[in-house]
Amino acid sequence: MDKIRVFAVSNNTLFRQGLIQAISQSDDIEIVSESDLGEETLEMVITFSPEIVLLDIGLPTLTGLNLGRQITQRSPAISVIILAPYSIDDGQLFQAIKSGAAGYLTMNARAEEIASAIRRIHQGEFIINELVLSRPLVAEKVLRQFQDF
């Protein structure tokens, strides 16, 4: 069985290393590379061509969301999972949706939750939808966005 190829991006080196170690315990997931949120990260992601990118939101400037948008525009076959700080923020969730992210998890998610999200998204699911359903203000904002087109 082919492993799901994952690229990890976070400016927090300790978090990134822990994430990689935890996810690497899964037999069906392979971390192909890692990076911080630097200027060369987009090109690295394109070069390694993973199936999933685990992407730190990049506080305080939200550079992760911009990078996520660039990844989904340049390589639609790559799915992005946004990793947000320790609570779900409606504004960040909305921006994650606009960036084309397939998933949105908090950084305090357990390794099993992240691995499950990777598997589900790899199978074509958009797990970000489940969060939107539980956040009526975000759902309303998304609907308004589409009404403007």
Side-chain angles (χ1 to χ4, degrees):
M1 174 175 86
D2 288 340
K3 292 187 175 195
I4 303 167
R5 297 170 39 86
V6 176
F7 192 109
V9 181
S10 176
N11 279 340
N12 183 327
T13 305
L14 185 61
F15 172 77
R16 189 173 69 234
Q17 290 172 345
L19 176 66
I20 290 168
Q21 186 175 14
I23 297 303
S24 295
Q25 303 299 314
S26 300
D27 294 336
D28 59 338
I29 299 171
E30 171 188 14
I31 303 293
V32 293
S33 192
E34 63 176 287
S35 178
D36 59 13
L37 285 165
E39 291 180 21
E40 73 292 339
T41 306
L42 177 61
E43 293 308 318
M44 286 179 66
V45 168
I46 301 302
T47 299
F48 279 95
S49 192
E51 294 157 293
I52 307 277
V53 174
L54 295 173
L55 182 57
D56 182 343
I57 207 163
L59 292 176
T61 60
L62 302 180
T63 52
L65 290 172
N66 295 330
L67 177 60
R69 185 174 295 110
Q70 292 172 2
I71 292 168
T72 57
Q73 287 173 348
R74 289 242 337 243
S75 293
I78 299 174
S79 297
V80 174
I81 299 174
I82 297 291
L83 299 172
Y86 306 99
S87 63
I88 296 173
D89 175 277
D90 284 354
Q92 291 171 5
L93 176 58
F94 180 70
Q95 292 304 318
I97 293 165
K98 283 183 63 174
S99 77
Y104 181 98
L105 299 169
T106 60
M107 289 181 162
N108 61 358
R110 295 184 330 274
E112 304 85 42
E113 291 175 86
I114 296 171
S116 173
I118 289 169
R119 290 182 191 104
R120 290 176 61 198
I121 289 170
H122 183 254
Q123 293 170 348
E125 293 184 46
F126 284 84
I127 63 169
I128 202 165
N129 296 345
E130 296 163 11
L131 268 178
V132 172
L133 293 175
S134 67
R135 314 288 287 202
L137 295 176
V138 176
E140 184 179 332
K141 203 170 181 179
V142 169
L143 290 172
R144 278 204 197 111
Q145 185 84 20
F146 284 107
Q147 288 173 342
D148 291 344
F149 283 107

